[in-house]
Amino acid sequence: MEKTILHYDLDAFYASVETRDNKKFIGRPLVVAGGVVTTANYEARKYGVHSAMSLFEAKKLCPNLVVVPVDKRKYARESHIIHSLVLKITHKIEFVALDEGYIDVTDIILKYKSKESFAKIFRERIFKLTGLTCSIGIGINKLMAKIASDINKPNGQFIFNSEEEFIEYMKDKNIRKLQGVGEKFEKILKKDNINVVGDLLKFTFKELEAKYGTSRGKLLYLSSRGIDYGEVKFKRKAHSIGNESTYSFPLDKNSDAEINKKIFDIFETSYARLIKSNYLTKTISIKIRYENMKTISKAKTFIMPTDNKDYLLSILEEILDSIEFKGNIRLLGVSFKNLAKKSARQLSFTEIK
Ligand code: TTP
Ligand code: MG
């Protein structure tokens, strides 16, 4: 049976939360930023301000810009409210970011008048609960739903009912609309005179594969035709315990001693949390965010769950030794994953009533 997949994405998420909480910001260009813009509201976007831009550059483009610091915990709370709402109706959901997710609504939609009315009700429910607007896309797979949710952004919705409808809409759109076609790939394609999605329809899979390699050929062939067999995967949130610090003055990538000291301090807090929660861990992970917002994490998993501090510290050092810092650092974090309750033990058959 054909599926119905919904993709939702909150509008200017961090910025909308901040505006909701401070009415005097309404209608003013605003960014949520440290040294770098995480998001710009739609008023600021009119000036060309966008995420990943330095705050300095953003202020140059828009001198009367309102700047609000990042409060990740606050946004995570909103995200949690939305997740709880969705989980009340279905577990067929894949949360892909704090403000974004796919829901398989194949069965649910049957109880509603139409896809349009379901999408509208969904947006209204989110607004009522959080005071935030979101955009929704519905398609017969994830690929279509994701592209659809962007079409009438902000506070809008769009629906593709079939591959034909998708192709009809996309054929004259820029190839950048396809997920996976970034700036560099776009340049390559344009050199080959492939400018709009419709240009891809002239090629067979074999031809695209020969030109651009198997994985990119496949991406182009399938996504230009709206084909996607990926399931909505419900992933339980990985349980982890940890701590992280953000630096408004990024740490110099060459100051090893300072960086190490910071990591060990963060470890102390994470470790205290681990002990307090009565968990053992099998994985330590270090997270690093650079000035340009690129975030990496490096983890090491060991065989036996443990909470032995010396052992964990030795693993932490091993990970640190293997990292080469690629830029000045804006955030550091240490977390423990693969957790097991310390008191957990196997029940014997006689204990199972
Ligand atoms: P997005 O959904 O990409 O952007 P958005 O919700 O701000 O705007 P849109 O209306 O276009 O959906 O990202 C969601 C949040 O993730 C965003 O509010 C801030 C955060 N974020 C960063 O911290 N850094 C980034 O580089 C990006 C792109 C987003
Ligand atoms: Mg968003």
Side-chain angles (χ1 to χ4, degrees):
M1 190 178 92
E2 200 160 78
K3 291 209 163 122
T4 310
I5 310 296
L6 178 149
H7 178 256
Y8 70 87
D9 185 353
L10 278 285
D11 304 320
F13 181 47
Y14 294 3
S16 304
V17 175
E18 298 300 345
T19 311
R20 177 199 67 187
D21 293 348
N22 206 333
K23 300 282 182 250
K24 68 171 188 275
F25 295 154
I26 291 176
R28 297 177 61 187
L30 173 149
V31 291
V32 176
V36 175
V37 173
T38 63
T39 191
N41 70 0
Y42 281 75
E43 285 82 358
R45 289 181 201 192
K46 285 183 204 147
Y47 293 83
V49 175
H50 58 76
S51 53
M53 178 179 264
S54 78
L55 188 54
F56 181 75
E57 212 177 324
K59 278 185 176 159
K60 240 179 10 196
L61 291 170
C62 179
N64 59 344
L65 191 66
V66 177
V67 182
V68 184
V70 184
D71 183 351
K72 201 84 192 270
R73 222 182 255 178
K74 186 149 115 182
Y75 317 134
R77 261 200 314 268
E78 300 306 320
S79 181
H80 182 74
I81 292 171
I82 297 166
H83 290 187
S84 309
L85 166 72
V86 177
L87 287 169
K88 273 187 198 148
I89 53 171
T90 180
H91 274 70
K92 289 183 188 169
I93 170 138
E94 182 174 335
F95 301 114
V96 285
L98 281 184
D99 76 326
E100 185 187 337
Y102 294 100
I103 315 171
D104 185 331
V105 292
T106 310
D107 302 325
I108 300 164
I109 213 95
L110 302 174
K111 296 185 210 140
Y112 291 80
K113 213 167 76 218
S114 63
K115 292 176 187 173
E116 283 81 2
S117 67
F118 179 76
K120 197 156 171 284
I121 290 167
F122 188 99
R123 290 192 297 113
E124 282 166 3
R125 278 300 292 274
I126 289 195
F127 186 76
K128 218 166 149 193
L129 269 173
T130 64
L132 303 170
T133 65
C134 73
S135 297
I136 282 184
I138 292 182
I140 58 174
N141 54 39
K142 292 204 292 190
L143 181 140
M144 282 188 203
K146 168 91 182 171
I147 289 178
S149 70
D150 220 30
I151 292 175
N152 284 325
K153 209 170 214 331
N155 199 14
Q157 58 188 56
F158 192 87
I159 294 161
F160 289 121
N161 290 295
S162 65
E163 280 169 14
E164 291 73 24
E165 268 186 34
F166 178 83
I167 289 172
E168 186 54 35
Y169 177 87
M170 292 294 283
K171 66 180 185 203
D172 59 354
K173 302 292 180 294
N174 194 301
I175 32 162
R176 272 294 282 280
K177 285 255 180 245
L178 299 179
Q179 254 195 303
V181 179
E183 209 175 319
K184 272 197 213 140
F185 196 20
E186 179 192 14
K187 278 203 187 114
I188 298 173
L189 292 166
K190 292 211 157 147
K191 246 191 223 147
D192 291 343
N193 223 4
I194 297 173
N195 298 296
V196 293
V197 177
D199 293 334
L200 289 164
L201 301 174
K202 300 171 211 149
F203 298 100
T204 63
F205 169 55
K206 282 269 170 264
E207 286 165 340
L208 290 171
E209 187 185 27
K211 271 173 173 303
Y212 308 110
T214 303
S215 83
R216 292 202 295 183
K218 194 166 157 189
L219 165 93
L220 293 176
Y221 183 83
L222 296 176
S223 60
S224 58
R225 289 159 175 80
I227 303 169
D228 174 17
Y229 301 111
E231 296 274 325
V232 172
K233 290 182 218 84
F234 176 63
K235 292 192 211 100
R236 221 163 264 289
K237 230 168 135 202
H239 195 41
S240 80
I241 292 175
N243 173 39
E244 47 188 54
S245 280
T246 313
Y247 308 103
S248 36
F249 296 103
L251 308 174
D252 183 329
K253 67 172 192 280
N254 298 312
S255 60
D256 283 10
E258 192 196 355
I259 297 171
N260 284 4
K261 168 149 192 339
K262 294 258 193 290
I263 294 247
F264 285 109
D265 287 348
I266 295 167
F267 170 90
E268 287 297 332
T269 312
S270 304
Y271 183 73
R273 287 182 183 159
L274 181 77
I275 296 300
K276 191 161 172 238
S277 64
N278 216 20
Y279 273 105
L280 302 171
T281 176
K282 253 174 68 173
T283 302
I284 307 184
S285 173
I286 295 182
K287 176 168 152 191
I288 299 161
R289 178 167 300 140
Y290 294 113
E291 244 175 331
N292 65 0
M293 293 305 280
K294 192 175 158 62
T295 307
I296 62 148
S297 48
K298 197 133 194 201
K300 204 164 170 114
T301 299
F302 23 94
I303 300 168
M304 289 290 286
T306 183
D307 62 357
N308 181 294
K309 191 170 178 184
D310 290 335
Y311 182 71
L312 293 172
L313 275 168
S314 71
I315 301 282
L316 185 76
E317 278 180 25
E318 261 183 62
I319 307 176
L320 259 178
D321 284 343
S322 70
I323 298 176
E324 193 195 326
F325 298 111
K326 295 271 168 54
N328 296 336
I329 295 161
R330 159 154 296 286
L331 174 150
L332 288 170
V334 174
S335 60
F336 303 111
K337 295 175 180 164
N338 264 318
L339 304 173
K341 261 280 180 224
K342 211 170 172 177
S343 53
R345 63 193 173 99
Q346 254 7 101
L347 282 176
S348 68
F349 277 118
T350 52
E351 284 174 292
I352 302 169
K353 297 267 158 46

